Amino acid sequence: MRGKLIYLDNLKVVLTLVVIFHHVGQAYAATGGFWPYMVPPEQGIGWVGRTFGINSGYLMALFFLMSGYFLPSSWDRRAGKGFVTNKLTHLGLPLLLGVLVLVPMVFFLYYEKYSGNPPLGWWGYYTRIYLGFGVPPDGFKAVPVGIPQVNFGWLWYVEHLLVYSLLYALVRRSGAGGRTPFPQVRAGFPLIVGQCCVIAVLTVIVRRQYPIDHWIPLLGCIQVEPAHLPLYLVSFLTGMAARRQDWIAAMPKTAGYLSLTLALLMAAPRMLQPWLPRSIGAAIHTSWDVYESFMAVFFCWGLLVLFRECFDAERPLLRRAGRLTFAAYILHVPIVVAWQYGVGENLSAVPQVRFFLVLLLSIGTTFAAASILKKIPVVRELLG
């Protein structure tokens, strides 16, 4: 078992670095969604923006797949109240920290610089705008959202994990889950294609109503982007089935490497778009719902097999970083935004230089902060 976990830990480190890359890049290339710091459009970095359509699919899908993979064994170890208490502690409490402290810090910076509203100071913003207590300033402009501005921000992923874990506990406690609710399927390329098809069909249906980057408060409190929900939810369920049926260990190398090759071939036109005929870009755009679904799943299985075969060795630096990935995910956005504001044009007027500078500073500071905080016993217990 330990050998299996090493490559997954190493993969989590790489995915966390890609998450930081993605959020650093959002200041330098618009995604269509909100980000609290932006350079002028003429200073945008085209190649960074072209990675977003690739990252937004496989990145979180693979996080969800691995989270689903570990969920059944977490129940088996604790079961009942022990499982629920563990999830409420290790997911719920960091979520509260985020929504009450970290997310408003990020939104406050945006309010002060970009909103066009009168400055209120931290406490005035936090109570009157973020929490929605009291009276807003005269002529308040609801940018990016109205009052109150309370939301989970980038921690929507942690919120989803908590909700899915509690639902899983409910099913298992009811006895309806049994040993496994999934049909027995052999690991191989047909399994991968089948997952692609299920996600693609559901994605096409959902995106008729909900476009990409449109978020809704499901049941009033669950922060959801419906456009990617089929990809993430099916990936999570696939991870659960993979644990019970040992799909990750049993997936043939040929199937994994074929998946990775196809994913890279599908990603290439996105990255090379400025140099390709417009007809190719138009065709991909027209079929994007299906295209993204297949590319994301191919990347997921391709990377899982690649790391299983080539990156299963334990290295001291990777081992230490692997223990910090969850804490790094929780902490990274305020650190990224702080560096984006702090660097600005102070150190270089060249966007490419600023991007890489902010990226390196953000990675180093995020993991250093996670390491320092986890030396505190209470925080270490909280963030695992």
Side-chain angles (χ1 to χ4, degrees):
M1 178 59 70
R2 183 57 193 162
K4 293 181 180 180
L5 295 177
I6 293 173
Y7 70 86
L8 293 180
D9 287 344
N10 292 341
L11 181 54
K12 282 193 297 182
V13 172
V14 173
L15 294 179
T16 303
L17 295 178
V18 178
V19 168
I20 297 175
F21 168 92
H22 188 94
H23 286 147
V24 170
Q26 284 195 247
Y28 302 93
T31 63
F34 164 77
W35 192 253
Y37 179 86
M38 293 296 299
V39 302
E42 63 273 12
Q43 297 183 22
I45 305 175
W47 70 267
V48 172
R50 292 192 292 274
T51 67
F52 293 159
I54 301 169
N55 294 340
S56 62
Y58 84 87
L59 182 58
M60 299 312 298
L62 193 42
F63 268 124
F64 275 115
L65 192 153
M66 288 193 292
S67 297
Y69 180 80
F70 288 111
L71 189 63
S73 59
S74 178
W75 172 271
D76 293 341
R77 286 195 306 271
R78 297 180 179 89
K81 293 182 179 179
F83 175 87
V84 172
T85 300
N86 176 267
K87 295 305 177 184
L88 290 174
T89 300
H90 292 289
L91 296 176
L93 293 181
L95 199 58
L96 283 178
L97 170 68
V99 76
L100 294 178
V101 179
L102 300 179
V103 174
M105 289 170 57
V106 171
F107 273 70
F108 171 69
L109 291 173
Y110 178 86
Y111 177 89
E112 291 288 301
K113 183 175 178 64
Y114 292 114
S115 73
N117 290 303
L120 296 174
W122 163 252
W123 187 246
Y125 165 78
Y126 185 73
T127 55
R128 296 170 63 182
I129 307 301
Y130 187 75
L131 296 179
F133 300 140
V135 180
D138 293 337
F140 173 77
K141 302 173 184 176
V143 179
V145 292
I147 299 176
Q149 292 186 347
V150 177
N151 72 96
F152 292 102
W154 66 99
L155 300 177
W156 65 268
Y157 165 67
V158 181
E159 182 194 20
H160 281 232
L161 289 186
L162 179 59
V163 171
Y164 298 163
S165 298
L166 296 179
L167 289 174
Y168 180 78
L170 184 64
V171 171
R172 292 299 300 270
R173 290 285 289 181
S174 70
R179 182 62 181 169
T180 174
F182 303 101
Q184 292 294 318
V185 179
R186 184 178 179 180
F189 194 68
L191 167 66
I192 297 172
V193 173
Q195 183 187 347
C196 291
C197 293
V198 170
I199 292 172
V201 170
L202 294 175
T203 298
V204 169
I205 294 172
V206 170
R207 290 187 185 178
R208 289 178 178 177
Q209 182 69 29
Y210 298 102
I212 294 175
D213 276 327
H214 178 79
W215 292 79
I216 63 171
L218 185 65
L219 302 178
C221 62
I222 304 175
Q223 196 166 303
V224 173
E225 184 204 15
H228 281 109
L229 187 59
L231 173 59
Y232 299 155
L233 184 55
V234 172
S235 296
F236 185 81
L237 295 172
T238 300
M240 291 170 56
R243 181 67 173 193
R244 293 305 192 196
Q245 302 187 40
D246 208 23
W247 285 342
I248 297 179
M251 184 62 66
K253 286 193 296 184
T254 52
Y257 290 151
L258 175 59
S259 293
L260 186 58
T261 300
L262 292 173
L264 292 172
L265 290 173
M266 295 179 77
R270 291 282 301 187
M271 297 304 299
L272 300 175
Q273 185 175 351
W275 300 280
L276 296 177
R278 290 186 179 181
S279 58
I280 295 178
I284 293 175
H285 177 76
T286 301
S287 61
W288 182 246
D289 297 345
V290 174
Y291 196 96
E292 182 189 31
S293 299
F294 274 73
M295 180 172 62
V297 175
F298 287 152
F299 262 123
C300 286
W301 284 105
L303 289 172
L304 284 168
V305 172
L306 176 68
F307 273 71
R308 186 194 70 195
E309 297 299 321
C310 302
F311 300 99
D312 197 27
E314 193 170 44
R315 299 285 185 267
L317 182 60
L318 282 174
R319 183 177 67 250
R320 289 194 293 271
R323 294 170 180 168
L324 300 173
T325 52
F326 182 67
Y329 183 87
I330 298 291
L331 298 171
H332 80 280
V333 168
I335 293 171
V336 166
V337 174
W339 280 119
Q340 287 169 338
Y341 275 91
V343 170
E345 295 188 7
N346 298 323
L347 300 182
S348 175
V350 181
Q352 298 269 8
V353 173
R354 282 156 41 204
F355 166 74
F356 282 109
L357 182 59
V358 172
L359 177 61
L360 293 175
L361 289 170
S362 297
I363 290 172
T365 308
T366 296
F367 279 90
S371 179
I372 292 170
L373 287 175
K374 288 192 68 172
K375 294 182 184 300
I376 303 171
V378 174
V379 177
R380 184 169 60 249
E381 178 65 23
L382 185 65
L383 297 179

